[in-house]
Amino acid sequence: MLSLVVLISGGGSNLRALLDASQDAEFPARVVAVGADRDADGFAHAEEYGIPTFSVALSSFADRDAWGEELLAQVRSWNADLIVLSGFMKLLPPDFVDALAPNVINTHPAYLPEFPGAHGVRDALAAGVAQTGASVIVVDNGVDSGPIISQERVAIEPGDTESSLHERIKPVERRLLIQAILDIANSRIDLKDL
Ligand code: GRF
């Protein structure tokens, strides 16, 4: 049984999909805790499933490194096999990534390496391209630059707004994330080999 700590910042729809999937006794992973850099709305999903939450706000620390140290300590306290970033909107300090790599994965609403960073959906729309996508990657010390686990194209429709496009991308992200976790749990993917 793969134990997961999920880090979010927002509504946590990807987290919700993971929690719903793990209700199936056959699903080989369990979320043991949910963390955030704020009192995230998505904590409501964890609370509904009785899963502990923790928040480590950057503003409570002298600097990003001190914040990263506390976040790392909190994450490590759960002894999880895999850390899943899903809508976590902060860059993790190198010490955090180096301590846990390669067991940190991230979902991104673009077809990496296209449109990395915090505004992947908006950037794809602004670029006027016909399609973008969703990606699941291993987190490294770059910005959405780690090894790609899986990705899938998503069409951009005429009249799309950032919101309508993002809502079309998220279900693809959720499906890719759940499949990635299944493949990792069943040793079909070894993150050390990517
Ligand atoms: C997801 O598209 C994630 O990839 C991006 O922000 C969104 C978070 O959505 N970083 P949610 O909080 O899971 O609903």
Side-chain angles (χ1 to χ4, degrees):
M1 181 62 68
L2 202 69
S3 57
L4 311 174
V5 166
V6 181
L7 298 183
I8 63 171
S9 292
S13 65
N14 283 319
L15 163 68
R16 179 75 202 206
L18 262 184
L19 293 172
D20 292 345
S22 57
Q23 292 314 296
D24 176 348
E26 299 297 308
F27 191 69
R30 285 292 175 275
V31 178
V32 296
V34 177
D37 58 318
R38 67 196 72 186
D39 184 16
D41 292 346
F43 279 169
H45 301 309
E47 285 149 16
E48 186 180 324
Y49 279 95
I51 291 169
T53 61
F54 61 91
S55 63
V56 184
L58 180 57
S59 56
S60 305
F61 294 84
D63 56 39
R64 180 177 287 272
D65 287 343
W67 169 74
E69 274 174 45
E70 175 60 19
L71 184 64
L72 177 60
Q74 296 251 5
V75 165
R76 272 181 153 157
S77 70
W78 297 99
N79 296 313
D81 300 306
L82 184 67
I83 313 306
V84 179
L85 309 186
S86 197
F88 187 69
M89 297 307 279
K90 289 279 190 309
L91 278 181
L92 292 164
D95 288 355
F96 183 104
V97 176
D98 295 345
L100 297 173
N103 299 310
V104 187
I105 67 174
N106 182 29
T107 61
H108 184 74
Y111 200 83
L112 293 169
E114 299 167 3
F115 311 116
H119 305 293
V121 179
R122 183 192 312 173
D123 296 344
L125 212 48
V129 292
Q131 56 180 6
T132 180
S135 306
V136 180
I137 61 170
V138 178
V139 172
D140 67 3
N141 280 314
V143 178
D144 299 319
S145 55
I148 293 171
I149 295 171
S150 60
Q151 59 185 172
E152 186 173 308
R153 283 291 183 186
V154 175
I156 295 179
E157 307 293 350
D160 258 334
T161 62
E162 182 178 352
S163 171
S164 66
L165 178 53
H166 206 166
E167 286 315 304
R168 186 178 315 117
I169 292 171
K170 281 187 182 181
V172 177
E173 272 187 274
R174 292 195 274 269
R175 179 163 39 80
L176 291 178
L177 176 61
I178 286 168
Q179 187 59 52
I181 287 168
L182 273 171
D183 291 342
I184 293 164
N186 295 324
S187 304
R188 287 191 292 267
I189 291 177
D190 183 341
L191 297 177
K192 289 189 286 299
D193 293 344
L194 292 180

